[in-house]
Amino acid sequence: VVVVVVVCCLKMLMVPRLFVGGVQRVSNVMRCATQLRTMATNFEHLQVSVEDGVGQITLYRPKSLNALCDELMREMNVVVDEFEANPDVRVMVITGSGKAFAAGADIKQMVPRTFQEVYSGNFLSFWDRIAHATKPTIAAVNGFALGGGCELAMMCDIIYASEKAKFGQPEINLGTIPGAGGTQRLTRAVGKSNAMELCLTGDIISAQEAKAMGLVSKVFPADELMPKTMELAKKIASKSQPILQMAKEAVNKSQELSLHEGLQYEKRLFHSSFATHDRKEGMTAFQEKRKPDFKDE
């Protein structure tokens, strides 16, 4: 059993208390700490922490380069559900332990499975919970992100990578194809030609190549990856939560709708922001040349 590192929210009590609608959020902080302590006892394949509004999930299967399996993904779904429900978690970060983000799905677990088993059981059907999170998600890819690992990273909203990161969909070398979004999300991220080449050859590309294709936002030296990722996460966490969710929803819809439909969808969400306190506060603060005081309302 892995000892789960939990950075609870207690130290937030040492800073000015946060307010929502004039009510102090100290009880939320204490509930956050209690929830994470309870969750920690159940995790075998993850390390979980919460700090300064950022919930971090670290994949922890060091003997298998963090290979993904049903058990790990079930644990992740539990954490994502908890983070979604916790008002003190505003952004989620996923990374891997050791020299891998996730080297793929656990092949040893897949070898004995049959068509009837995977088809009737809808294998991988619950592996994409993070893709449906309403809060912003960031993948910090510290090493190998292959197969299911690359697919997991692509389920996140933003991908940061270290210079040592490697990406690829090598399923073709195993006599199968990607099954958790590799043919679909990859194509949308890097274009048909690049995606087709990666899926048909199983080639592995560097972080720099992934950035040039548009798969990765930024690449950093290995020792700067997590500090830079947390800097980004905290910057995003400082914004209005409902407006963040509107922006995320609008961008994600661009992958599913025609341009005309997407523009209409965007306009409706833009109009909806005028029903919020934070839209008025943000514009007023701009006029008054001060920092906005968002209330998540």
Side-chain angles (χ1 to χ4, degrees):
V1 178
V2 176
V3 176
V4 180
V5 179
V6 180
V7 180
C8 295
C9 303
L10 293 176
K11 68 180 184 178
M12 292 174 64
L13 296 175
M14 304 301 294
V15 300
R17 293 175 176 177
L18 302 178
F19 290 80
V20 174
V23 179
Q24 292 182 344
R25 293 170 60 188
V26 175
S27 61
N28 288 340
V29 172
M30 299 303 296
R31 185 177 67 253
C32 167
T34 301
Q35 287 175 338
L36 287 172
R37 279 197 297 269
T38 301
M39 292 164 60
T41 61
N42 301 321
F43 296 149
E44 181 179 0
H45 304 303
L46 301 178
Q47 294 177 328
V48 180
S49 65
V50 174
E51 183 176 4
D52 297 333
V54 181
Q56 181 175 324
I57 302 171
T58 302
L59 311 181
Y60 192 84
R61 295 189 73 200
K63 293 182 179 180
S64 59
L65 295 178
N66 304 324
L68 306 179
C69 60
D70 282 348
E71 295 77 14
L72 183 152
M73 299 309 291
R74 287 192 181 96
E75 290 182 359
M76 181 177 293
N77 291 353
V78 170
V79 179
V80 172
D81 286 344
E82 291 285 351
F83 282 175
E84 284 275 84
N86 189 335
D88 294 298
V89 175
R90 306 172 67 79
V91 178
M92 303 181 212
V93 169
I94 298 179
T95 191
S97 60
K99 61 181 180 180
F101 177 76
D106 194 327
I107 304 304
K108 291 181 181 179
Q109 291 191 359
M110 289 198 289
V111 167
R113 297 193 176 187
T114 64
F115 166 75
Q116 291 83 355
E117 179 184 357
V118 298
Y119 187 78
S120 299
N122 201 11
F123 180 45
L124 305 183
S125 61
F126 63 88
W127 282 37
D128 64 347
R129 173 65 183 89
I130 191 67
H132 304 291
T134 61
K135 295 179 180 180
T137 57
I138 306 170
V141 179
N142 52 305
F144 295 110
L146 308 178
C150 186
E151 291 170 312
L152 177 60
M154 290 190 292
M155 292 178 199
C156 296
D157 300 319
I158 300 169
I159 303 177
Y160 272 12
S162 82
E163 293 174 339
K164 297 180 179 180
K166 303 289 184 183
F167 297 85
Q169 299 291 161
E171 289 88 348
I172 198 77
N173 298 325
L174 303 176
T176 187
I177 69 170
T183 64
Q184 303 302 304
R185 291 190 177 94
L186 186 62
T187 304
R188 287 165 169 77
V190 304
K192 179 184 175 182
S193 183
N194 284 325
M196 192 70 78
E197 182 175 348
L198 290 172
C199 289
L200 296 186
T201 64
D203 285 349
I204 297 172
I205 61 174
S206 68
Q208 289 78 8
E209 291 174 297
K211 184 178 184 301
M213 290 182 182
L215 179 61
V216 169
S217 295
K218 293 181 181 178
V219 177
F220 302 98
D223 61 348
E224 294 182 18
L225 174 63
M226 287 313 298
K228 291 294 187 181
T229 299
M230 294 304 290
E231 180 182 328
L232 171 67
K234 291 175 183 179
K235 181 177 183 180
I236 294 172
S238 71
K239 314 301 182 183
S240 165
Q241 193 68 36
I243 304 304
L244 283 174
Q245 293 180 11
M246 287 183 188
K248 171 174 175 170
E249 184 179 344
V251 173
N252 282 337
K253 282 296 183 181
S254 73
Q255 304 298 295
E256 303 172 9
L257 303 176
S258 69
L259 178 59
H260 176 70
E261 292 169 328
L263 289 171
Q264 287 185 315
Y265 196 90
E266 175 190 74
K267 195 67 60 76
R268 292 294 175 254
L269 286 175
F270 167 70
H271 292 161
S272 297
S273 73
F274 280 70
T276 67
H277 163 277
D278 288 346
R279 189 282 311 172
K280 185 174 182 179
E281 166 61 15
M283 293 186 176
T284 301
F286 177 82
Q287 280 188 317
E288 296 176 355
K289 296 181 172 56
R290 61 174 174 82
K291 185 177 179 180
D293 181 19
F294 294 131
K295 303 293 187 181
D296 292 345
E297 297 174 351

